[in-house]
Amino acid sequence: MRHADGTATAVFLLFFVLVTVMGFLASRWRRAEDAAHLHEWGLGGRNFGTWVTWFLLGGDLYTAYTFVAVPAAVYAVGAAGFFAVPYTVIAYPLVFLFLPRLWSVSRVHGYVTPADFVRGRYGSRGLSVAVALTGILATMPYIALQLVGIQAVLDTLGVGGSGNWFVRDLPLFVAFGVLAAYTYSAGLRAPALIAFVKDALVYVVIVVAVVYIPLRLGGYGSVFAAAARKFAAPGPHGGPGGSLLLGAPGQWTYATLAFGSALALFMYPHTVTGVLASGSRGTVRRNMAILPAYSLVLGLLALLGFLAIAAGVGAGVPGFNSQLAVPQLFAQMFPSWFTGVAFAAIGIGALVPAAIMSIAAANLFTRNVYREFLKPDATPAEETRVAKLASLLVKVGALAFVLVMDKQAAINFQLLGGLWILQTALALVAGLFTRWFHRWALLAGWAVGMAYGTWTAWGIASPATKHFGGNSAEVPGLGETGYVGLTAFVLNLAVAAVLTPALRALRAPEGADETARADYSAEAGDGTVERAPQPAAAH
C-alpha cells in the first residue's frame, strides 16, 4: 500500500467538500415551480441556458473514465488510442442535424426520455421498452467506470485501509453515499452546478500538464522519442508494443470504431438528458457548435499517455495497469498541492457524469417501465418518488459491480454498452425525420443487431480475458477487421429496411403517431405540455 500524501489528500478533500456543499445547495438553485413533476427533478425544469448546458454536457461527455482511459490507451498502444478525438469531431455535425428536432418534439409532448419519443412516434410499447432497457443496460457499466476512476485516484493517493474489504473501500463508500444523497435531493440541478467546478479544474489541469510536464522531460522531442522506443520494443505477448503512427492493418478498425462511436455518443440516455434540459431549441444548436472546444482538450488529454511513457511510469513493472498511468504521472511529476488539484479534477469528473447517468437511467425506468407496465395511473409526485429511488438502486448496482468484478470486466462491459446503445439509433434518429420504417421491423432490426453484436463480442478473446476481450472483429464479406457495433448496426438497418415493405404488404398494424410535422421545429412555448405519454392501443 502507498503512503498517503497529506498535502495532496488535503487539497483533494477540500474540493470534494466544496462540491458536496454545492450539490446539496443545488436544490435551491433555479428552484422548481412544482418539484413533484419528473421533468423538474430529472431534467432540471427544462430551462438551462447556453452556458449551463455547455458545462453540463461537457461534464456529461468527458468523464473520469475519459480522463483515465484515453491516455491509458495511448500509453498502451500509441496512435490507435487517439480514435476518441476524431469520433467527437464527427459526432457534433451529425447531432446538430437531429438533436434540435428531438428537443422540439419532446418539449411539445412532455417527453423526458428517448424511449418516450419512440413510444409516441410509433405507438409501440414493445419498441419503447426495448430502447429503455437498452439504455439502462448500457448505462450501468458506464456508471461503474466512474467509480473505478475514483478508486484509481484513491489508490494512488494512498487513501484507504489495508485490512478487510470494508475498511479498504471505505473512502469509495463515502464518495458513493455523498453522490447518492445530493442526487436524490437536487436531481439534475446538482451535477449541472458542480459541472462548473469540474470543467474548470479539467481545463486548468490539462493545460498545465501539457506545458509543465514536457518542460521537465526535455521537451516534446524527447517525449515522442521515448514513446517510439517503447513501441519499437516487443510487447508482452510478442510483436510490436504499439506505434506512433497508425499502420495500414489498423486503419479500417480505427475508422469504423471512430464512426460507430460518433453515431452512438448521443444515443446514451445521459447525453439526451442533458440536451432535453436545455431551455430552448437555439440553446441546443449553439451547444452543438461550441462543444467541439472539448475535442481540443481531449486531444491534449490523449498526449498524457506519451508523457507517462517518457516519465517512466510503470517501466519495468510486470503487468502494470495502464489505467493508473495518468494518476501516477501526476503524483510523480507535480508538486503535492497540484497533485491534489489534478486528482480532484478526476474525482469530480466522476461524480458529475455518474449523477447524470443515474438520473437518466431512473427516468427511463420510471417513464417506460414503471408507468408503462406497472402503474399507468401513477401521479406526477409518485413518478418523481420512484425515479429518486431508482437512481439510488442504479448507483448501488454500479457500486456492487465495481466491488465484485475486476476492473477489466467493467471496461469490457462499457465497450459492450457502446455496441448496445448504437442499436437504438435507427429507431430514434430515423423517427425524427420519417415514419417510413414499420415499428415491428425496427424492433426486429434492434433484436438482430443486439444478438449479433453480443454474440460476436462474446467470442473475442484478449490476453486479459477469454470473452468480451475487445470490440473489433472481421466484417462478414469484407475480410477486414472493423468495429462490431457498426457491423451490428448495418445488419439492424438492413433487417428493418427489408421487413418494412413486407409488413406493409401483410397490412401489419402501423401504430398511432401522436406527433405532427410542426412539433419538430417548435420553440419553447409553442404548445408545450408536460405530460406522460398515453397508453398505446397496440403493442
Side-chain angles (χ1 to χ4, degrees), residues 134 137-138 141-142 257 260-261 263-265 267-268 411-425 445-460 468 470-473 482-490 492:
T134 304
L137 189 64
Y142 221 151
L257 182 57
S261 299
L263 293 177
L265 182 61
M267 296 301 106
Y268 280 102
I411 294 170
N412 292 344
F413 277 104
Q414 194 277 327
L415 295 175
L416 196 60
L419 182 160
W420 289 332
I421 203 64
L422 181 54
Q423 306 316 310
T424 66
W446 167 85
V448 169
M450 291 286 286
Y452 170 82
T454 305
W455 177 255
T456 304
W458 168 265
I460 300 174
F468 301 126
N471 52 18
S472 297
Y483 176 41
V484 173
L486 188 59
T487 306
F489 175 77
V490 172
N492 180 344

Short mmCIF file of all heavy atoms in Angstrom, two decimals, residues 134 137-138 141-142 257 260-261 263-265 267-268 411-425 445-460 468 470-473 482-490 492:
data_model
loop_
_atom_site.label_atom_id
_atom_site.label_comp_id
_atom_site.label_asym_id
_atom_site.label_seq_id
_atom_site.Cartn_x
_atom_site.Cartn_y
_atom_site.Cartn_z
N THR A 134 -32.37 -1.09 -23.14
CA THR A 134 -31.02 -1.00 -23.73
C THR A 134 -30.27 0.17 -23.11
O THR A 134 -29.08 0.07 -22.79
CB THR A 134 -31.10 -0.83 -25.25
OG1 THR A 134 -31.85 -1.91 -25.81
CG2 THR A 134 -29.72 -0.81 -25.87
N LEU A 137 -29.23 -0.76 -19.58
CA LEU A 137 -28.18 -1.77 -19.65
C LEU A 137 -26.83 -1.15 -20.05
O LEU A 137 -25.79 -1.50 -19.49
CB LEU A 137 -28.58 -2.84 -20.68
CG LEU A 137 -27.73 -4.11 -20.75
CD1 LEU A 137 -27.80 -4.89 -19.45
CD2 LEU A 137 -28.20 -4.99 -21.92
N ALA A 138 -26.86 -0.22 -21.00
CA ALA A 138 -25.62 0.41 -21.46
C ALA A 138 -25.07 1.41 -20.45
O ALA A 138 -23.86 1.66 -20.41
CB ALA A 138 -25.86 1.11 -22.80
N PRO A 141 -22.68 -0.14 -16.68
CA PRO A 141 -21.23 -0.25 -16.60
C PRO A 141 -20.52 1.09 -16.75
O PRO A 141 -19.40 1.27 -16.26
CB PRO A 141 -20.88 -1.19 -17.78
CG PRO A 141 -22.05 -1.13 -18.69
CD PRO A 141 -23.23 -0.89 -17.83
N TYR A 142 -21.17 2.05 -17.41
CA TYR A 142 -20.59 3.40 -17.55
C TYR A 142 -20.50 4.08 -16.18
O TYR A 142 -19.51 4.74 -15.86
CB TYR A 142 -21.46 4.24 -18.49
CG TYR A 142 -20.69 5.11 -19.45
CD1 TYR A 142 -21.23 5.45 -20.69
CD2 TYR A 142 -19.44 5.63 -19.12
CE1 TYR A 142 -20.54 6.26 -21.57
CE2 TYR A 142 -18.74 6.44 -19.99
CZ TYR A 142 -19.30 6.76 -21.22
OH TYR A 142 -18.63 7.56 -22.08
N LEU A 257 -14.37 2.24 -35.83
CA LEU A 257 -14.57 2.48 -34.40
C LEU A 257 -14.89 3.95 -34.16
O LEU A 257 -15.79 4.28 -33.37
CB LEU A 257 -13.31 2.08 -33.62
CG LEU A 257 -13.37 2.23 -32.10
CD1 LEU A 257 -14.52 1.43 -31.51
CD2 LEU A 257 -12.04 1.78 -31.47
N GLY A 260 -18.53 4.57 -35.70
CA GLY A 260 -19.57 3.93 -34.90
C GLY A 260 -19.72 4.59 -33.54
O GLY A 260 -20.85 4.77 -33.05
N SER A 261 -18.62 4.98 -32.93
CA SER A 261 -18.67 5.66 -31.64
C SER A 261 -19.33 7.02 -31.77
O SER A 261 -20.05 7.46 -30.86
CB SER A 261 -17.27 5.81 -31.06
OG SER A 261 -16.66 4.54 -30.86
N LEU A 263 -21.71 7.80 -33.91
CA LEU A 263 -23.15 7.55 -34.02
C LEU A 263 -23.77 7.24 -32.65
O LEU A 263 -24.92 7.59 -32.39
CB LEU A 263 -23.41 6.39 -34.97
CG LEU A 263 -23.08 6.60 -36.45
CD1 LEU A 263 -23.35 5.32 -37.23
CD2 LEU A 263 -23.87 7.76 -37.04
N ALA A 264 -22.99 6.58 -31.80
CA ALA A 264 -23.53 6.13 -30.51
C ALA A 264 -23.49 7.21 -29.44
O ALA A 264 -24.26 7.14 -28.47
CB ALA A 264 -22.75 4.91 -30.01
N LEU A 265 -22.63 8.22 -29.58
CA LEU A 265 -22.34 9.14 -28.48
C LEU A 265 -23.60 9.79 -27.91
O LEU A 265 -23.80 9.82 -26.69
CB LEU A 265 -21.37 10.23 -28.96
CG LEU A 265 -20.93 11.24 -27.90
CD1 LEU A 265 -20.20 10.54 -26.76
CD2 LEU A 265 -20.03 12.31 -28.53
N MET A 267 -26.66 8.77 -28.32
CA MET A 267 -27.75 7.82 -28.08
C MET A 267 -27.83 7.46 -26.59
O MET A 267 -28.87 6.99 -26.12
CB MET A 267 -27.54 6.53 -28.88
CG MET A 267 -27.57 6.70 -30.39
SD MET A 267 -29.13 7.37 -31.00
CE MET A 267 -28.62 9.04 -31.40
N TYR A 268 -26.75 7.69 -25.86
CA TYR A 268 -26.76 7.37 -24.43
C TYR A 268 -27.83 8.21 -23.71
O TYR A 268 -27.98 9.40 -23.98
CB TYR A 268 -25.40 7.64 -23.80
CG TYR A 268 -24.38 6.55 -24.04
CD1 TYR A 268 -23.39 6.69 -24.99
CD2 TYR A 268 -24.41 5.38 -23.29
CE1 TYR A 268 -22.45 5.69 -25.21
CE2 TYR A 268 -23.47 4.37 -23.48
CZ TYR A 268 -22.49 4.53 -24.45
OH TYR A 268 -21.58 3.54 -24.66
N ILE A 411 -14.45 -2.47 -17.80
CA ILE A 411 -14.06 -1.85 -19.07
C ILE A 411 -14.69 -2.61 -20.23
O ILE A 411 -15.23 -2.02 -21.17
CB ILE A 411 -12.53 -1.82 -19.19
CG1 ILE A 411 -11.94 -0.87 -18.14
CG2 ILE A 411 -12.11 -1.37 -20.60
CD1 ILE A 411 -10.44 -0.96 -18.02
N ASN A 412 -14.63 -3.93 -20.18
CA ASN A 412 -15.21 -4.75 -21.25
C ASN A 412 -16.70 -4.50 -21.41
O ASN A 412 -17.22 -4.38 -22.53
CB ASN A 412 -14.96 -6.24 -20.98
CG ASN A 412 -13.50 -6.61 -21.09
OD1 ASN A 412 -12.70 -5.86 -21.64
ND2 ASN A 412 -13.14 -7.77 -20.55
N PHE A 413 -17.41 -4.42 -20.29
CA PHE A 413 -18.85 -4.20 -20.36
C PHE A 413 -19.19 -2.78 -20.82
O PHE A 413 -20.24 -2.56 -21.43
CB PHE A 413 -19.51 -4.53 -19.02
CG PHE A 413 -19.78 -5.99 -18.83
CD1 PHE A 413 -18.99 -6.77 -18.02
CD2 PHE A 413 -20.83 -6.60 -19.51
CE1 PHE A 413 -19.22 -8.13 -17.86
CE2 PHE A 413 -21.09 -7.96 -19.35
CZ PHE A 413 -20.28 -8.72 -18.53
N GLN A 414 -18.33 -1.82 -20.51
CA GLN A 414 -18.58 -0.47 -21.02
C GLN A 414 -18.44 -0.45 -22.55
O GLN A 414 -19.22 0.21 -23.25
CB GLN A 414 -17.62 0.52 -20.38
CG GLN A 414 -18.01 1.98 -20.57
CD GLN A 414 -17.55 2.54 -21.91
OE1 GLN A 414 -16.50 2.15 -22.42
NE2 GLN A 414 -18.32 3.45 -22.47
N LEU A 415 -17.45 -1.16 -23.07
CA LEU A 415 -17.30 -1.27 -24.52
C LEU A 415 -18.52 -1.95 -25.13
O LEU A 415 -19.00 -1.56 -26.20
CB LEU A 415 -16.02 -2.05 -24.86
CG LEU A 415 -14.69 -1.41 -24.45
CD1 LEU A 415 -13.53 -2.36 -24.73
CD2 LEU A 415 -14.48 -0.09 -25.17
N LEU A 416 -19.03 -2.95 -24.44
CA LEU A 416 -20.23 -3.64 -24.91
C LEU A 416 -21.43 -2.70 -24.86
O LEU A 416 -22.30 -2.75 -25.73
CB LEU A 416 -20.47 -4.87 -24.03
CG LEU A 416 -21.43 -5.94 -24.56
CD1 LEU A 416 -20.94 -6.50 -25.89
CD2 LEU A 416 -21.59 -7.06 -23.53
N GLY A 417 -21.46 -1.82 -23.86
CA GLY A 417 -22.55 -0.86 -23.76
C GLY A 417 -22.62 0.06 -24.97
O GLY A 417 -23.72 0.42 -25.43
N GLY A 418 -21.47 0.46 -25.52
CA GLY A 418 -21.47 1.28 -26.72
C GLY A 418 -22.06 0.54 -27.90
O GLY A 418 -22.81 1.12 -28.71
N LEU A 419 -21.75 -0.74 -28.01
CA LEU A 419 -22.33 -1.58 -29.06
C LEU A 419 -23.85 -1.65 -28.92
O LEU A 419 -24.59 -1.51 -29.90
CB LEU A 419 -21.71 -2.97 -28.96
CG LEU A 419 -22.07 -4.06 -29.96
CD1 LEU A 419 -20.99 -5.13 -29.95
CD2 LEU A 419 -23.41 -4.72 -29.66
N TRP A 420 -24.31 -1.85 -27.68
CA TRP A 420 -25.76 -1.98 -27.44
C TRP A 420 -26.50 -0.69 -27.76
O TRP A 420 -27.52 -0.70 -28.43
CB TRP A 420 -26.01 -2.38 -25.98
CG TRP A 420 -25.63 -3.78 -25.65
CD1 TRP A 420 -25.60 -4.86 -26.50
CD2 TRP A 420 -25.23 -4.28 -24.38
NE1 TRP A 420 -25.21 -5.99 -25.83
CE2 TRP A 420 -24.97 -5.67 -24.52
CE3 TRP A 420 -25.05 -3.71 -23.12
CZ2 TRP A 420 -24.56 -6.47 -23.46
CZ3 TRP A 420 -24.64 -4.49 -22.06
CH2 TRP A 420 -24.41 -5.87 -22.23
N ILE A 421 -26.00 0.42 -27.24
CA ILE A 421 -26.75 1.68 -27.38
C ILE A 421 -26.81 2.11 -28.84
O ILE A 421 -27.77 2.78 -29.25
CB ILE A 421 -26.13 2.78 -26.49
CG1 ILE A 421 -27.17 3.86 -26.19
CG2 ILE A 421 -24.90 3.38 -27.12
CD1 ILE A 421 -28.35 3.39 -25.37
N LEU A 422 -25.83 1.72 -29.64
CA LEU A 422 -25.85 2.06 -31.06
C LEU A 422 -27.04 1.43 -31.77
O LEU A 422 -27.54 1.97 -32.77
CB LEU A 422 -24.53 1.61 -31.72
CG LEU A 422 -24.35 1.91 -33.21
CD1 LEU A 422 -24.55 3.39 -33.51
CD2 LEU A 422 -22.96 1.46 -33.67
N GLN A 423 -27.54 0.32 -31.24
CA GLN A 423 -28.66 -0.36 -31.90
C GLN A 423 -29.99 0.38 -31.71
O GLN A 423 -30.98 0.04 -32.35
CB GLN A 423 -28.77 -1.80 -31.38
CG GLN A 423 -27.50 -2.61 -31.48
CD GLN A 423 -26.78 -2.43 -32.82
OE1 GLN A 423 -27.39 -2.55 -33.89
NE2 GLN A 423 -25.48 -2.13 -32.75
N THR A 424 -30.02 1.38 -30.85
CA THR A 424 -31.23 2.20 -30.68
C THR A 424 -31.24 3.40 -31.62
O THR A 424 -32.25 4.11 -31.70
CB THR A 424 -31.37 2.70 -29.24
OG1 THR A 424 -30.30 3.64 -28.95
CG2 THR A 424 -31.30 1.54 -28.24
N ALA A 425 -30.14 3.64 -32.33
CA ALA A 425 -30.01 4.85 -33.13
C ALA A 425 -31.01 4.91 -34.27
O ALA A 425 -31.55 5.98 -34.58
CB ALA A 425 -28.58 4.97 -33.68
N GLY A 445 -35.02 -5.41 -36.26
CA GLY A 445 -33.67 -4.96 -36.55
C GLY A 445 -32.86 -4.77 -35.28
O GLY A 445 -31.69 -5.16 -35.20
N TRP A 446 -33.50 -4.16 -34.26
CA TRP A 446 -32.84 -4.00 -32.96
C TRP A 446 -32.43 -5.35 -32.39
O TRP A 446 -31.30 -5.51 -31.90
CB TRP A 446 -33.79 -3.27 -32.00
CG TRP A 446 -33.37 -3.31 -30.57
CD1 TRP A 446 -32.49 -2.48 -29.94
CD2 TRP A 446 -33.78 -4.27 -29.58
NE1 TRP A 446 -32.34 -2.84 -28.63
CE2 TRP A 446 -33.12 -3.94 -28.38
CE3 TRP A 446 -34.65 -5.35 -29.59
CZ2 TRP A 446 -33.31 -4.67 -27.20
CZ3 TRP A 446 -34.83 -6.08 -28.44
CH2 TRP A 446 -34.16 -5.74 -27.25
N ALA A 447 -33.33 -6.32 -32.43
CA ALA A 447 -33.05 -7.65 -31.86
C ALA A 447 -31.89 -8.33 -32.59
O ALA A 447 -31.00 -8.93 -31.96
CB ALA A 447 -34.30 -8.52 -31.92
N VAL A 448 -31.87 -8.23 -33.92
CA VAL A 448 -30.79 -8.85 -34.70
C VAL A 448 -29.46 -8.17 -34.39
O VAL A 448 -28.43 -8.83 -34.18
CB VAL A 448 -31.10 -8.78 -36.21
CG1 VAL A 448 -29.87 -9.16 -37.04
CG2 VAL A 448 -32.28 -9.69 -36.56
N GLY A 449 -29.46 -6.83 -34.34
CA GLY A 449 -28.23 -6.11 -34.04
C GLY A 449 -27.70 -6.44 -32.66
O GLY A 449 -26.49 -6.65 -32.47
N MET A 450 -28.59 -6.51 -31.68
CA MET A 450 -28.17 -6.83 -30.31
C MET A 450 -27.63 -8.25 -30.24
O MET A 450 -26.58 -8.50 -29.62
CB MET A 450 -29.36 -6.69 -29.37
CG MET A 450 -29.83 -5.27 -29.15
SD MET A 450 -28.74 -4.30 -28.08
CE MET A 450 -29.11 -4.98 -26.48
N ALA A 451 -28.31 -9.20 -30.86
CA ALA A 451 -27.89 -10.59 -30.79
C ALA A 451 -26.56 -10.80 -31.50
O ALA A 451 -25.63 -11.43 -30.96
CB ALA A 451 -28.97 -11.49 -31.41
N TYR A 452 -26.45 -10.28 -32.73
CA TYR A 452 -25.20 -10.45 -33.48
C TYR A 452 -24.03 -9.79 -32.75
O TYR A 452 -22.95 -10.38 -32.60
CB TYR A 452 -25.32 -9.86 -34.89
CG TYR A 452 -23.99 -9.80 -35.60
CD1 TYR A 452 -23.47 -10.91 -36.25
CD2 TYR A 452 -23.23 -8.63 -35.58
CE1 TYR A 452 -22.23 -10.86 -36.88
CE2 TYR A 452 -21.99 -8.57 -36.20
CZ TYR A 452 -21.49 -9.69 -36.85
OH TYR A 452 -20.26 -9.64 -37.46
N GLY A 453 -24.23 -8.54 -32.32
CA GLY A 453 -23.14 -7.81 -31.67
C GLY A 453 -22.69 -8.47 -30.38
O GLY A 453 -21.48 -8.60 -30.14
N THR A 454 -23.65 -8.89 -29.56
CA THR A 454 -23.29 -9.51 -28.27
C THR A 454 -22.60 -10.85 -28.48
O THR A 454 -21.59 -11.15 -27.82
CB THR A 454 -24.55 -9.70 -27.41
OG1 THR A 454 -25.24 -8.44 -27.27
CG2 THR A 454 -24.21 -10.23 -26.04
N TRP A 455 -23.12 -11.65 -29.41
CA TRP A 455 -22.52 -12.96 -29.66
C TRP A 455 -21.10 -12.82 -30.22
O TRP A 455 -20.19 -13.55 -29.82
CB TRP A 455 -23.39 -13.76 -30.62
CG TRP A 455 -22.81 -15.10 -30.99
CD1 TRP A 455 -22.22 -15.47 -32.16
CD2 TRP A 455 -22.75 -16.25 -30.14
NE1 TRP A 455 -21.81 -16.77 -32.12
CE2 TRP A 455 -22.11 -17.29 -30.88
CE3 TRP A 455 -23.17 -16.51 -28.84
CZ2 TRP A 455 -21.89 -18.55 -30.36
CZ3 TRP A 455 -22.94 -17.78 -28.32
CH2 TRP A 455 -22.31 -18.78 -29.08
N THR A 456 -20.91 -11.88 -31.14
CA THR A 456 -19.58 -11.68 -31.72
C THR A 456 -18.61 -11.18 -30.65
O THR A 456 -17.46 -11.65 -30.58
CB THR A 456 -19.65 -10.67 -32.87
OG1 THR A 456 -20.60 -11.14 -33.85
CG2 THR A 456 -18.29 -10.51 -33.53
N ALA A 457 -19.04 -10.24 -29.83
CA ALA A 457 -18.17 -9.72 -28.77
C ALA A 457 -17.82 -10.80 -27.76
O ALA A 457 -16.71 -10.84 -27.23
CB ALA A 457 -18.84 -8.54 -28.08
N TRP A 458 -18.77 -11.70 -27.49
CA TRP A 458 -18.51 -12.82 -26.58
C TRP A 458 -17.34 -13.67 -27.08
O TRP A 458 -16.54 -14.19 -26.29
CB TRP A 458 -19.77 -13.67 -26.45
CG TRP A 458 -19.57 -15.01 -25.79
CD1 TRP A 458 -19.35 -16.21 -26.41
CD2 TRP A 458 -19.55 -15.29 -24.39
NE1 TRP A 458 -19.22 -17.21 -25.49
CE2 TRP A 458 -19.32 -16.67 -24.23
CE3 TRP A 458 -19.71 -14.51 -23.25
CZ2 TRP A 458 -19.25 -17.27 -22.98
CZ3 TRP A 458 -19.64 -15.12 -22.00
CH2 TRP A 458 -19.42 -16.48 -21.88
N GLY A 459 -17.22 -13.80 -28.37
CA GLY A 459 -16.18 -14.65 -28.93
C GLY A 459 -14.82 -13.99 -29.08
O GLY A 459 -13.87 -14.63 -29.54
N ILE A 460 -14.70 -12.72 -28.69
CA ILE A 460 -13.42 -12.02 -28.81
C ILE A 460 -12.62 -12.21 -27.53
O ILE A 460 -13.06 -11.83 -26.44
CB ILE A 460 -13.64 -10.52 -29.08
CG1 ILE A 460 -14.41 -10.31 -30.38
CG2 ILE A 460 -12.30 -9.79 -29.15
CD1 ILE A 460 -14.78 -8.87 -30.65
N PHE A 468 -15.48 -11.16 -24.41
CA PHE A 468 -15.65 -9.70 -24.41
C PHE A 468 -14.29 -9.00 -24.27
O PHE A 468 -14.16 -8.00 -23.57
CB PHE A 468 -16.59 -9.24 -23.29
CG PHE A 468 -17.96 -9.83 -23.36
CD1 PHE A 468 -18.51 -10.50 -22.27
CD2 PHE A 468 -18.72 -9.73 -24.52
CE1 PHE A 468 -19.78 -11.05 -22.33
CE2 PHE A 468 -20.00 -10.28 -24.59
CZ PHE A 468 -20.53 -10.95 -23.50
N GLY A 470 -12.60 -7.38 -26.56
CA GLY A 470 -12.37 -6.27 -27.48
C GLY A 470 -13.66 -5.92 -28.19
O GLY A 470 -14.72 -6.48 -27.91
N ASN A 471 -13.56 -4.97 -29.10
CA ASN A 471 -14.77 -4.54 -29.81
C ASN A 471 -14.62 -4.56 -31.32
O ASN A 471 -15.40 -3.96 -32.04
CB ASN A 471 -15.18 -3.13 -29.36
CG ASN A 471 -14.04 -2.14 -29.45
OD1 ASN A 471 -13.04 -2.38 -30.12
ND2 ASN A 471 -14.18 -1.02 -28.76
N SER A 472 -13.60 -5.29 -31.82
CA SER A 472 -13.38 -5.38 -33.26
C SER A 472 -13.27 -6.83 -33.69
O SER A 472 -12.69 -7.66 -32.97
CB SER A 472 -12.10 -4.63 -33.65
OG SER A 472 -12.22 -3.24 -33.35
N ALA A 473 -13.85 -7.13 -34.85
CA ALA A 473 -13.81 -8.49 -35.40
C ALA A 473 -13.92 -8.39 -36.92
O ALA A 473 -14.20 -7.32 -37.47
CB ALA A 473 -14.94 -9.34 -34.83
N GLY A 482 -13.23 -4.71 -38.34
CA GLY A 482 -13.94 -3.47 -38.06
C GLY A 482 -14.67 -3.52 -36.74
O GLY A 482 -14.73 -4.56 -36.08
N TYR A 483 -15.23 -2.40 -36.37
CA TYR A 483 -15.96 -2.26 -35.11
C TYR A 483 -17.23 -3.11 -35.15
O TYR A 483 -18.07 -2.94 -36.03
CB TYR A 483 -16.28 -0.79 -34.88
CG TYR A 483 -17.12 -0.50 -33.66
CD1 TYR A 483 -16.90 -1.16 -32.45
CD2 TYR A 483 -18.14 0.45 -33.70
CE1 TYR A 483 -17.67 -0.89 -31.33
CE2 TYR A 483 -18.91 0.74 -32.59
CZ TYR A 483 -18.67 0.07 -31.41
OH TYR A 483 -19.44 0.34 -30.30
N VAL A 484 -17.37 -4.00 -34.19
CA VAL A 484 -18.51 -4.91 -34.15
C VAL A 484 -19.83 -4.14 -34.04
O VAL A 484 -20.84 -4.51 -34.66
CB VAL A 484 -18.36 -5.88 -32.96
CG1 VAL A 484 -19.62 -6.73 -32.80
CG2 VAL A 484 -17.15 -6.77 -33.14
N GLY A 485 -19.85 -3.07 -33.27
CA GLY A 485 -21.07 -2.30 -33.09
C GLY A 485 -21.59 -1.73 -34.40
O GLY A 485 -22.80 -1.71 -34.64
N LEU A 486 -20.68 -1.26 -35.26
CA LEU A 486 -21.10 -0.69 -36.54
C LEU A 486 -21.59 -1.78 -37.47
O LEU A 486 -22.58 -1.59 -38.20
CB LEU A 486 -19.94 0.07 -37.18
CG LEU A 486 -20.28 0.88 -38.43
CD1 LEU A 486 -21.35 1.91 -38.13
CD2 LEU A 486 -19.03 1.56 -38.99
N THR A 487 -20.94 -2.93 -37.48
CA THR A 487 -21.41 -4.06 -38.28
C THR A 487 -22.81 -4.48 -37.84
O THR A 487 -23.70 -4.73 -38.66
CB THR A 487 -20.45 -5.26 -38.15
OG1 THR A 487 -19.13 -4.85 -38.48
CG2 THR A 487 -20.87 -6.39 -39.07
N ALA A 488 -23.02 -4.55 -36.52
CA ALA A 488 -24.34 -4.91 -35.99
C ALA A 488 -25.38 -3.87 -36.40
O ALA A 488 -26.53 -4.21 -36.72
CB ALA A 488 -24.27 -5.03 -34.47
N PHE A 489 -24.99 -2.60 -36.40
CA PHE A 489 -25.93 -1.54 -36.79
C PHE A 489 -26.32 -1.66 -38.27
O PHE A 489 -27.49 -1.45 -38.63
CB PHE A 489 -25.30 -0.17 -36.53
CG PHE A 489 -26.15 0.98 -37.00
CD1 PHE A 489 -27.25 1.39 -36.29
CD2 PHE A 489 -25.84 1.65 -38.19
CE1 PHE A 489 -28.05 2.44 -36.73
CE2 PHE A 489 -26.61 2.69 -38.63
CZ PHE A 489 -27.73 3.10 -37.90
N VAL A 490 -25.37 -2.01 -39.12
CA VAL A 490 -25.68 -2.20 -40.54
C VAL A 490 -26.67 -3.35 -40.71
O VAL A 490 -27.62 -3.26 -41.51
CB VAL A 490 -24.39 -2.45 -41.34
CG1 VAL A 490 -24.71 -2.84 -42.78
CG2 VAL A 490 -23.52 -1.19 -41.34
N ASN A 492 -28.81 -4.33 -38.44
CA ASN A 492 -30.02 -3.76 -37.88
C ASN A 492 -30.78 -2.97 -38.95
O ASN A 492 -31.99 -3.18 -39.17
CB ASN A 492 -29.61 -2.84 -36.72
CG ASN A 492 -30.76 -2.16 -36.01
OD1 ASN A 492 -31.88 -2.10 -36.52
ND2 ASN A 492 -30.48 -1.62 -34.84
#
